[in-house]
Amino acid sequence: MDAQLDQHGRLRHLLTTEGLDGRLIAEILDTAETFLPVTDQAVKKVPLLRGRTVVNLFFEASTRTRTTFELAAKRLSADVLNLQVSTSSTSKGETLLDTLETLQAMQVDMFVVRHQASGAAHFFARHAAPGVAVLNAGDGRHAHPTQALLDVFTIRRHRPDFSALRVAIVGDILHSRVARSEIHALHALGVPEIRVVGPRTLLPAAVDTLGVHVFHDLERGLDGVDVIIMLRLQRERMEGALLPGAEEYFLNYGLTERALRYARGDALIMHPGPINRGVEIDSGVAYHPRSVILQQITHGIAVRMAVMAMILGSHSRAPEGAHALP
Ligand code: NCD
């Protein structure tokens, strides 16, 4: 059986964008559209997940992903538990399983998991009790599906027609779970031209199998694109030998006003954050009029609300009335 879809093709977990078809992704984005206005209300809440419990389990550092998952759950009226797990005290395998079992004994409904090991969210999903859902908030260099979904949501709000879109993903593709998840989502939505741009040392060996155009030269890679997605150098995942010097990297791959001129005049500038000014992006360009980096964060709440509501809300697998308040 599919690790994240039920027999009707609906989401049970969200572990990866790989294998999600365009129809299901569009349904998530359409649902997210309906949640966007909630964020602008004075009372930023809807009662959809009232009485449900969501656990944020972050074994890796995070600012926007953890807080926007928390806000998303709270704006759906769920109860939220935040567990900050120190990486050093964690051994994989049994410890993860013990953590899962312990929290499940508290009748929680959903885990949001970030972990440095690729496959951690799949591990959780395999061992979760039947009514419990798992959302992957980033596993190693493997996948970060909600980031990819909020990115395509942001693109769609500005460029609703994907049929002739050119998207360039620039930088450390090798260590980026964001890039991998974006590539799958962009393919599923029919984007005809996806480019990856970076030095050879920061592209995966199997880059040819991803269905992307590969560029090692920034200016050529940006030539005529509609969307530029910049990535951080994921130094925490690099072996010392791979580490490029920040200044040299900026000279060759940093997004500056000058480099921007090669893209279309109305190209969107995106970045999942955290940004490293002067390494992959010039300070002035980060908040350029065409930058939608802050919108990505806002949209992340609506997209995460959509995924949570689709999994725990209408398609609930809990027994009828089991979680209803009197
Ligand atoms: C990304 C991540 O953690 O994979 N950030 C995020 O979730 N907003 C990218 C990164 O850390 O560079």
Side-chain angles (χ1 to χ4, degrees), residues 60-62 64-65 114 137-138 140 144 147 176-178 231-234 236-237 271-274 304:
E60 247 193 10
S62 174
R64 61 224 90 211
T65 304
R114 169 171 285 194
H144 192 350
Q147 180 68 45
S176 176
R177 52 198 176 200
V178 174
L231 298 173
R232 182 178 66 88
L233 289 178
Q234 318 256 306
E236 70 276 21
R237 294 184 221 293
H271 195 308
R304 290 175 173 127

Side-chain angles (χ1 to χ4, degrees), residues 288-303:
H288 190 278
R290 278 189 271 132
S291 162
V292 292
I293 294 173
L294 295 178
Q295 289 177 29
Q296 288 173 264
I297 297 168
T298 308
H299 294 163
I301 301 173
V303 168

Side-chain angles (χ1 to χ4, degrees), residues 83-289:
L83 254 87
Q84 285 296 7
V85 193
S86 92
T87 313
S88 55
S89 67
T90 307
S91 67
K92 290 168 214 154
E94 274 211 325
T95 306
L96 263 191
L97 195 54
D98 281 343
T99 311
L100 172 77
E101 297 290 4
T102 305
L103 290 160
Q104 282 195 155
M106 304 174 197
Q107 286 86 31
V108 302
D109 298 286
M110 177 176 270
F111 289 103
V112 178
V113 184
R114 169 171 285 194
H115 197 281
Q116 60 278 12
S118 300
H122 281 77
F123 175 86
F124 254 64
R126 264 201 312 280
H127 292 92
V132 177
V134 178
L135 303 190
N136 185 2
D139 62 326
R141 53 167 93 172
H142 172 239
H144 192 350
T146 57
Q147 180 68 45
L149 292 171
L150 75 89
D151 292 338
V152 291
F153 180 82
T154 303
I155 297 173
R156 195 178 79 159
R157 296 208 98 228
H158 291 273
R159 302 279 181 275
D161 181 10
F162 278 18
S163 67
L165 215 58
R166 287 181 181 160
V167 179
I169 306 174
V170 183
D172 180 5
I173 315 288
L174 177 62
H175 301 98
S176 176
R177 52 198 176 200
V178 174
R180 251 169 282 278
S181 288
E182 284 169 347
I183 290 168
H184 293 306
L186 291 166
H187 274 310
L189 291 171
V191 171
E193 190 168 337
I194 307 168
R195 302 180 184 180
V196 296
V197 186
R200 279 170 220 283
T201 47
L202 293 179
L203 295 179
V207 69
D208 295 339
T209 63
L210 296 175
V212 295
H213 302 264
V214 179
F215 292 85
H216 302 296
D217 178 83
L218 181 64
E219 290 164 6
R220 287 213 201 142
L222 293 185
D223 189 29
V225 299
D226 304 279
V227 179
I228 306 167
I229 303 176
M230 300 305 295
L231 298 173
R232 182 178 66 88
L233 289 178
Q234 318 256 306
R235 293 174 186 278
E236 70 276 21
R237 294 184 221 293
M238 289 182 194
E239 312 294 322
L242 274 173
L243 240 166
E247 276 169 34
E248 191 198 335
Y249 182 82
F250 184 68
L251 277 180
N252 290 311
Y253 294 101
L255 189 66
T256 57
E257 284 277 3
R258 201 183 145 273
L260 202 50
R261 276 191 243 130
Y262 291 87
R264 279 179 54 117
D266 59 355
L268 301 176
I269 302 165
M270 302 178 67
H271 195 308
I275 60 173
N276 284 166
R277 292 164 188 267
V279 182
E280 76 276 1
I281 193 160
D282 181 69
S283 265
V285 173
Y287 295 131
H288 190 278

Side-chain angles (χ1 to χ4, degrees), residues 54-58 66 69-70 80-84 112:
V54 175
V55 183
N56 266 331
L57 204 52
F58 278 64
R66 201 198 60 73
F69 262 116
E70 179 174 354
V80 185
L81 215 61
N82 287 305
L83 254 87
Q84 285 296 7
V112 178

